[in-house]
Amino acid sequence: MTNLLGSPVSLGLPVSSWYPHQAEAISWAVQRLEQSQLVLIEACTGSGKSLLGMGVARLLGKGIEGKEPKEQRAVYLVGTKQLQEQLKTQIRGISWAKILMGRREYPCPETREAGATAEDCTHSEDRPCNSKHEGNC
């Protein structure tokens, strides 16, 4: 399957080569996902899980082994702010990768006070602001 993988660059990823274990894990995951099996990969810190996940998503989206390409969506979840920031850095410049963070990470669209987040302010057309930063919405 490594030949089918090609290089990460050929999939639009920001590195020039796979770690050997990444190529094996990507092949394994793609085969199972094409059989509609659930895939969970757990690996140690620094093993390249983010790149592995993006590789699987891109391969499934391209279509392999004579199958028609189809739109694929993948969700990569992280459990800490630190991992969220790391992933955001890793996908910077990849046009097809998007990141969605929690409400606390976005500024309140209505308040003028620095530090108010979308979590703080629930302002809407039919409901006045109940922000901790009251009076600024």
Side-chain angles (χ1 to χ4, degrees):
M1 177 82 170
T2 303
N3 291 339
L4 291 174
L5 285 179
S7 71
V9 172
S10 70
L11 295 176
L13 300 172
V15 297
S16 60
S17 62
W18 304 109
Y19 291 142
H21 68 273
Q22 286 176 315
E24 182 181 338
I26 290 169
S27 298
W28 176 86
V30 167
Q31 289 169 359
R32 276 146 189 84
L33 288 167
E34 286 187 327
Q35 298 167 6
S36 298
Q37 294 179 7
L38 180 64
V39 172
L40 177 65
I41 297 174
E42 182 177 15
C44 63
T45 301
S47 61
K49 295 178 291 292
S50 300
L51 185 64
L52 191 153
M54 288 187 279
V56 169
R58 292 302 278 183
L59 264 180
L60 289 172
K62 285 183 99 171
I64 59 172
E65 298 179 15
K67 294 184 179 181
E68 285 295 312
K70 56 186 174 185
E71 182 179 327
Q72 290 289 332
R73 293 182 183 210
V75 177
Y76 189 93
L77 302 173
V78 296
T80 66
K81 175 74 172 150
Q82 180 183 8
L83 289 174
Q84 188 178 56
E85 289 300 322
Q86 178 183 323
L87 187 61
K88 194 163 71 171
T89 299
Q90 290 172 334
I91 68 168
R92 185 171 290 134
I94 301 175
S95 62
W96 51 266
K98 306 293 182 228
I99 192 160
L100 177 64
M101 302 177 292
R103 291 171 49 94
R104 204 176 306 157
E105 304 306 316
Y106 295 97
C108 174
E110 298 295 327
T111 188
R112 290 154 197 68
E113 183 175 328
T117 68
E119 182 178 62
D120 297 328
C121 180
T122 57
H123 182 90
S124 68
E125 287 181 23
D126 60 334
R127 185 174 49 191
C129 181
N130 68 351
S131 172
K132 296 175 203 168
H133 304 275
E134 202 161 327
N136 292 309
C137 288

